[in-house]
Amino acid sequence: MTAEPSLAVRLCGTEEVPEPPRVLRAGRLTAELEAGNLRYIRFDGHEMIRAVSFIVRDRNWGTYNPKIDNLVIEETDGAFRVSYDAVTADEAQEFRYSAVITGAADGSLRFEGRGRAVTDFVTNRTGFVVLHPITGVAGAPATVEEVDGRIVETSFPDLIDPVQPMMNLRAITHSFAPGARVTCRMEGDTYEMEDQRNWTDASYKTYVRPLALPWPYMLEGGEAIDQAVSLSVSGAPAVSADSGAGVTVRVGEATGAVPRLGLGLD
């Protein structure tokens, strides 16, 4: 008889239970720090950005689990600052980087990542990834600044977009609450966006290095990367979000059949 899997395996798929995130606060700005990256960045309780992450991937799209050292977290009533060093490596290659994250009570936030390939390093993506939420954003207007400085008025996809809905990105501005907008500026490379609902993830993902360029690609030993993502808020939410509000899920009557699904094997 097969033993029941542990609670950790049922919840996380592994016995290695992740540490709970650390909530960073600077006045009305909050963010969750998890494994060196940020999730659920909110202002006045309203979610602005789902995640900002500096990630390192191998030639097979596997994401390295960084070893973090020298972690320092400083918080005051109106600001926070996080800094750390990280190593990502396997038996064949190594990449090291340092991060500094700062946040202020006016909603401004900056996440800097500076790294260097210790050895020749083959990767499909090394750098920042930004996630925008779907709820309240799908179909909504957005102002895009492209890498050449051109300003484009567009919108987030309402229906699932199978291709990149925004390309050549330097900054994206959208409304995250009535009366308030956030600008997400991405520096250090050219960014583009994909609609992650194609893979059942509830976010739009903006990532470094266009997929039209060859991949995997090599960072030569000694080659450096210097990137940053910053947020700035304009206006103010008309009403603060109820941070204590729960989520209720109910199972209703059947409304139709699930479409046929296909599986791809590489």
Side-chain angles (χ1 to χ4, degrees), residues 63 96 98 128 201 224:
T63 302
R96 293 174 176 257
S98 298
F128 277 107
D201 292 338

Side-chain angles (χ1 to χ4, degrees), residues 113-148:
R114 295 183 174 91
R116 180 178 61 86
V118 178
T119 64
D120 288 349
F121 195 88
V122 180
T123 178
N124 277 343
R125 178 172 297 145
T126 294
F128 277 107
V129 169
V130 177
L131 302 184
H132 282 74
I134 298 295
T135 302
V137 177
T143 301
V144 165
E145 179 184 338
E146 298 188 342
V147 292
D148 60 2

Side-chain angles (χ1 to χ4, degrees), residues 2-251:
T2 304
E4 282 288 320
S6 68
L7 179 61
V9 169
R10 283 182 284 165
L11 291 177
C12 306
T14 174
E15 295 290 354
E16 297 181 16
V17 179
E19 293 185 11
R22 165 77 177 266
V23 178
L24 305 171
R25 300 182 185 277
R28 295 180 291 172
L29 174 69
T30 63
E32 296 184 10
L33 179 67
E34 182 178 323
N37 295 315
L38 297 179
R39 292 183 177 273
Y40 304 110
I41 303 170
R42 298 181 172 95
F43 188 71
D44 262 357
H46 298 274
E47 183 180 21
M48 299 191 294
I49 298 293
R50 177 61 49 87
V52 179
S53 305
F54 191 95
I55 63 170
V56 181
R57 287 183 162 171
D58 64 19
R59 66 170 66 238
N60 298 312
W61 294 104
T63 302
Y64 288 91
N65 184 23
K67 179 184 176 183
I68 294 177
D69 291 312
N70 304 320
L71 175 64
V72 178
I73 302 175
E74 302 169 292
E75 288 185 279
T76 64
D77 289 341
F80 60 73
R81 185 181 190 276
V82 178
S83 62
Y84 62 86
D85 300 318
V87 178
T88 55
D90 55 32
E91 64 278 0
Q93 56 186 21
E94 180 176 335
F95 182 88
R96 293 174 176 257
Y97 63 96
S98 298
V100 176
I101 304 168
T102 55
D106 63 0
S108 60
L109 183 145
R110 185 171 176 85
F111 191 157
E112 300 174 353
R114 295 183 174 91
R116 180 178 61 86
V118 178
T119 64
D120 288 349
F121 195 88
V122 180
T123 178
N124 277 343
R125 178 172 297 145
T126 294
F128 277 107
V129 169
V130 177
L131 302 184
H132 282 74
I134 298 295
T135 302
V137 177
T143 301
V144 165
E145 179 184 338
E146 298 188 342
V147 292
D148 60 2
R150 189 166 71 106
I151 304 298
V152 178
E153 298 296 334
T154 183
S155 61
F156 289 89
D158 186 9
L159 301 178
I160 298 174
D161 194 333
V163 296
Q164 289 90 345
M166 301 181 193
M167 304 179 73
N168 302 315
L169 295 171
R170 178 62 67 230
I172 305 171
T173 302
H174 79 284
S175 174
F176 66 91
R181 289 161 62 85
V182 61
T183 297
C184 177
R185 180 166 296 275
M186 299 155 287
E187 305 167 12
D189 207 325
T190 298
Y191 294 73
E192 66 184 22
M193 177 186 287
E194 65 187 16
D195 189 339
Q196 286 211 109
R197 293 176 296 178
N198 281 293
W199 298 276
T200 70
D201 292 338
S203 61
Y204 303 104
K205 180 166 72 176
T206 304
Y207 50 87
V208 77
R209 187 175 167 94
L211 291 177
L213 296 176
W215 49 271
Y217 59 97
M218 178 184 289
L219 299 172
E220 295 183 355
E223 185 173 346
I225 284 178
D226 189 351
Q227 299 175 9
V229 173
S230 60
L231 306 181
S232 58
V233 173
S234 58
V239 179
S240 295
D242 183 1
S243 59
V247 175
T248 301
V249 178
R250 296 184 180 88
V251 179

